[in-house]
Amino acid sequence: MTGTTSSESISTKRGEIAALAGIEPKRVLTTLAHRIDIEWMREAYRRTRKDGAVGVDAVDRKVFEASLDDNLTGLLDGLKSGRYRAPPVRRVHIEKDGGKSTRPIGIPTLGDKVLQRAVVMALEPVYEQDFLDCSHGFRPGRSAHDALERLRQGTMNIGGGWIIDLDIKGFFDNVDRTWLGAMLDGRVRDGVIRRAIGKWLNAGVMEDGAVSRPEKGTPQGGVASPLLANIYLHEVLDTWFEEDVRPRLRRDAFMVRYADDAVLCFADEDDARRVMAVLPKRLERFGLELNRQKTRLVTFMPPESDEDRRRGDRAFDFLGFTHFWRRSRNGRWIVSKKTSKVRFGRSLKSVSEWCRVHRHWSIADQQKMLNRKLVGHYAYFGVIGNSLALSRFRYEVGRRWHYWLSRRSNRSGITWDRFARLLVRYPLAPSRVSHSWSAPPVANP
């Protein structure tokens, strides 16, 4: 089922779809679903994450795989015949902004995830021909670090400028489905696929045992939602900025978007202020709202004095990093980044909670899991210039571990000397930089 031959066959089919979509960029495709067969479904299942929380049917991987072929055949037949009924999405809330608010996340059933993955595999090759380079989120071959590097290089190439740190209020809950349908009509009108998308959008949300059916939005957490979000924002932001905004600006500007997080960078302050003024109207046209409390215009220039640098007002957060100017070893101003305070605190809080819940595990098992968490943290935040934050995170994890180990019983806690000896035998993974970059030409104001 998971052999190379199957994957290569599906890759060939997807390549054919991409070639067809690329030949005529404005062509509307009406037949895509016929390419989805049982082999395609097996590949979709292979690509689907299976260790997440279960949906409303409580079916996990083991139960699904007990009758795998029957389940995949049933999903395929339901898709093609139109008999498939999308189950409600189970909604949970996770903390955001350091615990000050929550974000709703939808958890589809495993079968629904597989079917959504199959449809996304058919749609991706089409829209990858249309999406612009400014878009990075949830696209094959692109990552958050690609977006971060594009942002760093772009701001350094223009020697600093003015940044619109854009935040859309409740994007996934406010996508206008009429507009989304019109956008899909411009490229894909396959009846089978469009019917399935409609069912997912109208499946409803189950929370505390009650099912509600919102009239707008896409359930955040669904496999198809990121692609639908990219299709929506491709029209709302990307093409608008590239085709309508940039040609009217006085000086250079660029945008970097990762899903619904975006920054717009301008070499001219008046350009930035003019775009800032029209952004709310642009979003309102498509049923979206600018979060005025979080969206701000930042002067992102090398600090003119030590006081500017200490205040830190010439900095902004994007994708978990605080971006700021610092001097390199040869004295040039360069753009650097460090783990943002919000993300640092959230990650540390998560580790501390894990230590509390699992403090009665064996020391060896705790060390193994903590090191997995640390390595995962380093894998994302391990960028050049962020080594101090990585070391501090490792140190703080050690402190939390010591705190909760000291509360395994009513007896006196573990002394720091004893904990230091324990770390010799069960060391925490050392911090390391995983991502590098090659510096572009730098404007040195």
Side-chain angles (χ1 to χ4, degrees):
M1 184 190 75
T2 60
T4 304
T5 302
S6 175
S7 298
E8 290 178 349
S9 174
I10 302 304
S11 179
T12 300
K13 291 181 181 180
R14 282 163 52 86
E16 292 170 352
I17 296 174
L20 182 64
I23 292 173
E24 299 181 53
K26 301 298 182 181
R27 178 180 179 181
V28 177
L29 303 179
T30 58
T31 56
L32 286 176
H34 69 282
R35 298 177 183 272
I36 302 177
D37 54 19
I38 190 62
E39 184 181 40
W40 188 287
M41 293 297 296
R42 291 191 182 107
E43 179 66 12
Y45 180 75
R46 188 186 70 83
R47 298 187 183 194
T48 300
R49 180 182 174 183
K50 309 169 190 66
D51 59 349
V54 297
V56 296
D57 62 358
V59 173
D60 60 13
R61 175 178 185 167
K62 291 182 179 180
V63 175
F64 194 88
E65 287 186 349
S67 304
L68 181 60
D69 285 343
D70 290 342
N71 286 329
L72 295 179
T73 300
L75 290 171
L76 180 61
D77 291 344
L79 173 70
K80 296 291 184 72
S81 65
R83 292 193 301 269
Y84 180 75
R85 298 184 63 182
V89 173
R90 184 168 70 88
R91 173 173 284 178
V92 297
H93 295 266
I94 62 172
E95 290 184 355
K96 59 180 287 190
D97 299 331
K100 297 179 181 178
S101 59
T102 62
R103 179 194 300 270
I105 295 292
I107 304 175
T109 64
L110 180 53
D112 208 32
K113 290 180 184 178
V114 174
L115 195 57
Q116 288 191 38
R117 177 62 62 194
V119 170
V120 167
M121 286 165 54
L123 291 177
E124 269 182 351
V126 177
Y127 286 100
E128 280 300 308
Q129 311 307 308
D130 302 342
F131 290 157
L132 304 181
D133 285 341
C134 63
S135 167
H136 292 81
F138 304 102
R139 293 180 57 188
R142 290 171 176 254
S143 69
H145 291 98
D146 295 327
L148 292 167
E149 180 59 12
R150 181 181 177 88
L151 175 60
R152 188 192 70 84
Q153 288 192 4
T155 50
M156 290 181 65
N157 285 339
I158 65 176
W162 286 262
I163 306 290
I164 295 179
D165 184 4
L166 175 63
D167 188 275
I168 301 174
K169 190 174 182 179
F171 169 75
F172 284 92
D173 291 332
N174 290 289
V175 169
D176 187 296
R177 294 175 185 172
T178 301
W179 273 114
L180 178 60
M183 295 170 187
L184 288 166
D185 281 342
R187 203 63 161 114
V188 175
R189 294 184 189 172
D190 182 293
V192 172
I193 288 179
R194 292 296 301 277
R195 183 170 57 231
I197 292 175
K199 289 181 178 181
W200 289 321
L201 292 176
N202 293 289
V205 175
M206 178 177 287
E207 189 171 6
D208 298 328
V211 177
S212 60
R213 302 187 186 279
E215 296 181 356
K216 58 182 180 178
T218 64
Q220 190 173 359
V223 175
S225 292
L227 177 60
L228 297 177
N230 275 333
I231 293 171
Y232 203 79
L233 290 175
H234 171 74
E235 297 291 338
V236 176
L237 280 180
D238 301 357
T239 57
W240 170 71
F241 185 79
E242 290 297 326
E243 298 177 5
D244 296 338
V245 174
R246 285 191 65 189
R248 294 176 170 83
L249 300 180
R250 298 175 182 175
R251 297 179 61 190
D252 194 17
F254 67 96
M255 180 175 73
V256 179
R257 182 176 66 80
Y258 190 92
D260 60 326
D261 292 325
V263 288
L264 289 68
C265 312
F266 303 84
D268 184 89
E269 183 177 5
D270 288 339
D271 287 340
R273 293 191 179 279
R274 284 192 294 147
V275 174
M276 186 74 164
V278 301
L279 261 175
K281 297 179 181 179
R282 176 66 182 179
L283 295 178
E284 287 170 8
R285 178 185 174 189
F286 295 92
L288 302 175
E289 182 182 353
L290 190 71
N291 190 331
R292 297 181 182 273
Q293 294 182 336
K294 294 184 177 180
T295 299
R296 62 192 186 114
L297 181 62
V298 180
T299 301
F300 192 63
M301 304 285 285
E304 297 176 357
S305 65
D306 290 340
E307 180 63 24
D308 287 340
R309 180 178 56 80
R310 282 193 294 268
R311 283 202 311 266
D313 53 355
R314 297 192 173 192
F316 64 95
D317 289 353
F318 182 59
L319 297 182
F321 289 91
T322 297
H323 302 258
F324 62 98
W325 289 90
R326 68 173 177 86
R327 288 195 182 275
S328 66
R329 292 180 179 178
N330 60 13
R332 290 176 176 268
W333 284 109
I334 61 173
V335 175
S336 189
K337 49 187 173 283
K338 60 183 178 181
T339 310
S340 71
K341 291 182 179 179
V342 170
R343 185 63 68 88
F344 188 97
R346 186 194 308 168
S347 300
L348 199 57
K349 182 178 179 180
S350 175
V351 171
S352 181
E353 178 63 14
W354 186 92
C355 289
R356 182 188 71 83
V357 173
H358 299 88
R359 64 185 181 272
H360 295 297
W361 280 19
S362 70
I363 300 297
D365 287 341
Q366 289 189 53
Q367 180 225 19
K368 182 179 179 180
M369 184 57 69
L370 285 175
N371 279 340
R372 288 179 60 182
K373 293 179 179 295
L374 283 170
V375 169
H377 185 87
Y378 303 152
Y380 184 77
F381 291 102
V383 299
I384 288 180
N386 197 35
S387 57
L388 186 62
L390 297 180
S391 298
R392 180 172 165 240
F393 185 78
R394 179 179 181 270
Y395 169 75
E396 294 293 344
V397 166
R399 289 189 61 193
R400 269 60 176 183
W401 194 22
H402 169 262
Y403 178 88
W404 288 111
L405 285 179
S406 296
R407 280 148 184 80
R408 280 155 61 103
S409 69
N410 293 326
R411 292 178 296 179
S412 59
I414 300 175
T415 66
W416 281 106
D417 286 341
R418 182 184 171 192
F419 184 67
R421 293 193 299 271
L422 182 146
L423 286 178
V424 172
R425 183 174 180 182
Y426 301 101
L428 293 175
S431 60
R432 69 184 186 91
V433 171
S434 306
H435 303 277
S436 60
W437 41 263
S438 55
V442 180
N444 199 14

